Amino acid sequence: MVAQLALDTPGSKTDRALSLDFVLNHKDKKLEAGFTSPWKKASLKGALQNDKARKEVNLILISDKDEYALKSFVNIAEKGSETTYTPVLEFRRPGAEGIALKGTIISEENEDIEADFKLSGATEKTVNIKGKYVNSNKMKSLSASVAIAPKNVYSTTASITIDQKKKTITKVLPSFVIKTPEGTLVSLTGSADYRKAKSLKTDLTLKMDRLLKQPIIIKGNLNRGFYFLIVIHSKAEKV
């Protein structure tokens, strides 16, 4: 597919010529576009690959004499119940170091997913980004971490462990933690015991060391329609 648009003012002493060209090649999955004016000249080239084992998109933009390039692709490999994705995203710009995000994502039958990435060029040091998702019958969890340096790590984890002792008795252990390089920012842990059609007991502990001298303890008991809640907490520290 080819499209062209041109505008001009013949006979004028001032150059006002404008042109726009667009070419799309469906067979080769490529495109080219160009824009020309008395003030700005720009061109764009792109290519697409959409195979089963590789997905790729590449773009190059030239604005006057400055070139910007975006390269992105992901390789896909399947082995048994495991699928490995290897994505790469690279961006080049004039007068600056290129930015690159590279890593792997491993998926196990969509139950367990683990990701490991490295980001370079955006900051002085390479940033490591990791994530993990677990979706089994006994555990549901999601965790992520960003390491700017070996001792400069931010992380968070949310999980629920399920213990089915009997058909009518279930114990759940929830947990939510946020950590910074200075230590644990938020920690919520505890348990919930459920007896079908009989009772529900909860015991939770919330710690926020930067705000509270003592943790907040929450206990609950749902038994035959009655619910008792006890909350023990301390005053916030004075800054």
Side-chain angles (χ1 to χ4, degrees), residues 3 5 24-25 31 41 44 52 87 125 127 155 160-161 217 225:
L5 176 64
L24 178 61
N25 189 323
L31 71 85
K41 291 183 179 180
L44 175 67
K52 183 179 180 180
K125 296 182 179 180
V127 178
S155 66
I160 296 178
T161 303
I217 300 173

Side-chain angles (χ1 to χ4, degrees), residues 124-139:
E124 292 183 2
K125 296 182 179 180
T126 299
V127 178
N128 294 324
I129 305 170
K130 294 184 179 182
K132 189 173 183 179
Y133 171 68
V134 177
N135 183 26
S136 65
N137 292 331
K138 293 186 177 182
M139 175 175 281

Side-chain angles (χ1 to χ4, degrees), residues 211-224:
L211 297 176
L212 304 173
K213 292 182 178 180
Q214 299 294 329
I216 296 176
I217 300 173
I218 305 172
K219 293 185 178 182
N221 188 354
L222 179 63
N223 190 354
R224 295 182 180 180

Side-chain angles (χ1 to χ4, degrees), residues 128-197:
N128 294 324
I129 305 170
K130 294 184 179 182
K132 189 173 183 179
Y133 171 68
V134 177
N135 183 26
S136 65
N137 292 331
K138 293 186 177 182
M139 175 175 281
K140 316 288 183 182
S141 71
L142 179 64
S143 62
S145 67
V146 178
I148 302 174
K151 294 183 179 181
N152 193 4
V153 181
Y154 297 82
S155 66
T156 181
T157 302
S159 67
I160 296 178
T161 303
I162 304 170
D163 184 9
Q164 188 80 42
K165 295 181 178 181
K166 296 180 181 180
K167 290 184 178 181
T168 58
I169 301 176
T170 303
K171 186 172 185 177
V172 178
L173 303 174
S175 176
F176 177 69
V177 179
I178 298 177
K179 293 183 178 181
T180 68
E182 290 76 24
T184 301
L185 183 64
V186 177
S187 173
L188 176 64
T189 57
S191 64
D193 293 283
Y194 173 68
R195 294 176 181 268
K196 188 175 181 180

